[in-house]
Amino acid sequence: MSFSSFPQASSLSHVLSPLGWDDAWAAEFTPYAEQGLVPGRVVRVDRGQCDVMTEDGIVRADTAFVTPHDPLRVICTGDWAAVEAAGIPRYVKAYLPRRTAFVRSTSSQRSEGQILAANVDHAIIAVSLAVELDLGRIERFLALAWESGAQPLVVLTKTDLVPDPATLAHLVQDVETTAPGVQVLTVSSLTGEGTDILSAVVAGGTSVLLGVSGAGKSTLANTLLGADVMEVQEAREVDGKGRHTTTTRNLLALPGGGVLIDTPGLRGVGLWDAEAGVGQVFSEIEEYAERCRFHDCAHEAEPGCAVLAAVASGELPERRLDSYRKLLRENQRIVAKTDARLRSEIRRDWRIKSAEGRANYAAKRGGRA
């Protein structure tokens, strides 16, 4: 993949400022500068190495020094890295504390989180109008986006496939109800509809492009970039799903300002300790809950439940309450599994240390004897 869209000047501020470098990052980097390291932003990670944009352009660096056992602490696209100034190979020695981080749970049985992108300002959730809307999936993406610290934005793609204005307006209204407090844009990469508004939104800061395969992310990325940088494949007509044309997370400079992180299509969008994000997505339910008779109301069958009253009156769609309950239960399960894993690791470490202590004590006694 080409990184020709990045500036190649020698001035540090001139090169890195378009990628988000500012005075606050410079202050954070001071201790590393004193060690002779140079700053750069990670634009791609694969197989223990990463491409980093520095004042000298793109450099290939090894991540062996920042590969801990905790998968949430591995270096990822969007990180600001401290890189060796020279050497073959060059190593990333550290990365700066993240301002935001988009994390999902993995599909493994180890209850681990996977970080998808770091230091993101806007989380763009691409949703294709070529297939029936899955409002539950949108709510799931939104919960993770809010939890990350980024500002979510829902982009309905392929609007050219919905020529009836009334039908399109109905679909937009459904999504707006699902995404309170979130801007919803309609975009067609074919006709150019809405792309100027989206370009203006992403011109400031870093945006990550999220969605399932077939949502039109790569086409949308090419539209924003003004060039066919990302490979595009047709989605299947039967279900609108596409193959993974993007296989790594890539950070790309946008011609109108800002940067875009394109991600592979996500098959699964598991929550990862996202209680606050779920609450933000279903803010109207939490507002009703404040009026419940009991502060610990489960909104199941309790007397004086304002949430159930809102459902009964038609103010709150029952689907929203069902989705809220589902995501809360899922989040509680992953948190419980994570806590259990941590407790298990602590007990294991304690057993190892206890065994070592007993062995040392026995050896001392044997020595005195």
Side-chain angles (χ1 to χ4, degrees):
M1 144 168 213
S2 171
F3 293 97
S4 59
S5 58
F6 286 105
Q8 297 295 320
S10 60
S11 167
L12 176 61
S13 61
H14 178 71
V15 173
L16 297 185
S17 291
L19 302 186
W21 185 257
D22 56 29
D23 291 341
W25 286 124
E28 290 271 9
F29 193 80
T30 300
Y32 301 106
E34 293 172 351
Q35 299 172 33
L37 302 174
V38 297
R41 193 157 196 197
V42 178
V43 299
R44 177 174 173 164
V45 179
D46 62 281
R47 299 180 181 179
Q49 293 189 317
C50 62
D51 293 320
V52 185
M53 182 63 189
T54 70
E55 59 181 324
D56 297 322
I58 295 291
V59 300
R60 190 72 167 166
D62 196 296
T63 64
F65 284 98
V66 284
T67 308
H69 295 298
D70 184 351
L72 296 181
R73 297 177 61 194
V74 299
I75 199 160
C76 75
T77 303
D79 274 324
W80 284 101
V83 189
E84 289 180 325
I88 301 177
R90 292 169 73 164
Y91 287 94
V92 174
K93 289 302 187 74
Y95 60 83
L96 300 184
R98 295 159 176 159
R99 294 178 181 174
T100 64
F102 194 95
V103 180
R104 68 165 178 175
S105 66
T106 64
S107 58
S108 71
Q109 299 301 311
R110 298 184 60 189
S111 65
E112 293 178 339
Q114 178 190 23
I115 183 164
L116 300 180
N119 302 313
V120 171
D121 301 295
H122 307 285
I124 304 172
I125 302 165
V127 180
S128 172
L129 291 180
V131 294
E132 184 177 355
L133 285 176
D134 186 338
L135 298 178
R137 178 180 288 136
I138 294 174
E139 289 163 342
R140 184 178 291 273
F141 270 111
L142 286 169
L144 291 177
W146 281 121
E147 191 69 33
S148 75
Q151 172 66 46
L153 169 68
V154 178
V155 175
L156 302 180
T157 66
K158 307 181 184 181
T159 56
D160 51 280
L161 299 179
V162 188
D164 179 40
T167 301
L168 181 59
H170 177 72
L171 293 172
V172 171
Q173 184 178 21
D174 283 347
V175 176
E176 287 176 338
T177 302
T178 300
V182 175
Q183 186 176 10
V184 178
L185 295 179
T186 54
V187 170
S188 170
S189 297
L190 181 65
T191 66
E193 176 195 348
T195 57
D196 54 340
I197 300 175
L198 180 57
S199 295
V201 171
V202 301
T206 298
S207 302
V208 62
L209 191 53
L210 305 159
V212 299
S213 297
K217 298 191 311 302
S218 295
T219 301
L220 189 58
N222 287 337
T223 301
L224 293 172
L225 290 163
D228 292 334
V229 175
M230 308 306 296
E231 182 184 357
V232 177
Q233 294 181 355
E234 293 294 328
R236 299 193 302 242
E237 291 187 6
V238 63
D239 55 10
K241 294 181 180 179
R243 291 189 292 269
H244 293 296
T245 54
T246 302
T247 57
T248 58
R249 289 174 282 279
N250 306 287
L251 188 145
L252 307 158
L254 296 173
V259 292
L260 178 71
I261 299 176
D262 191 21
T263 65
L266 301 177
R267 292 187 179 91
V269 195
L271 299 185
W272 177 259
D273 197 5
E275 183 177 356
V278 173
Q280 188 76 33
V281 176
F282 299 93
S283 56
E284 81 278 29
I285 295 180
E286 303 220 328
E287 289 175 4
Y288 284 123
E290 291 178 358
R291 302 199 293 268
C292 289
R293 180 184 302 176
F294 304 106
H295 73 277
D296 58 348
C297 183
H299 320 308
E300 297 287 351
E302 296 86 348
C305 176
V307 174
L308 294 179
V311 173
S313 68
E315 296 177 55
L316 176 66
E318 188 170 2
R319 188 206 68 78
R320 286 279 286 172
L321 180 57
D322 290 341
S323 184
Y324 175 67
R325 289 168 173 162
K326 178 181 178 181
L327 292 184
L328 277 184
R329 287 195 299 268
E330 177 183 329
N331 192 68
Q332 288 166 356
R333 283 196 300 270
I334 193 66
V335 170
K337 286 174 64 178
T338 303
D339 289 346
R341 177 172 61 85
L342 290 175
R343 288 195 299 270
S344 177
E345 291 178 353
I346 290 171
R347 286 196 299 269
R348 184 191 63 212
D349 291 343
W350 179 82
R351 286 195 298 268
I352 292 173
K353 290 177 180 177
S354 296
E356 291 174 347
R358 288 193 299 271
N360 290 336
Y361 179 69
K364 290 179 180 179
R365 290 189 63 185
R368 287 198 304 270

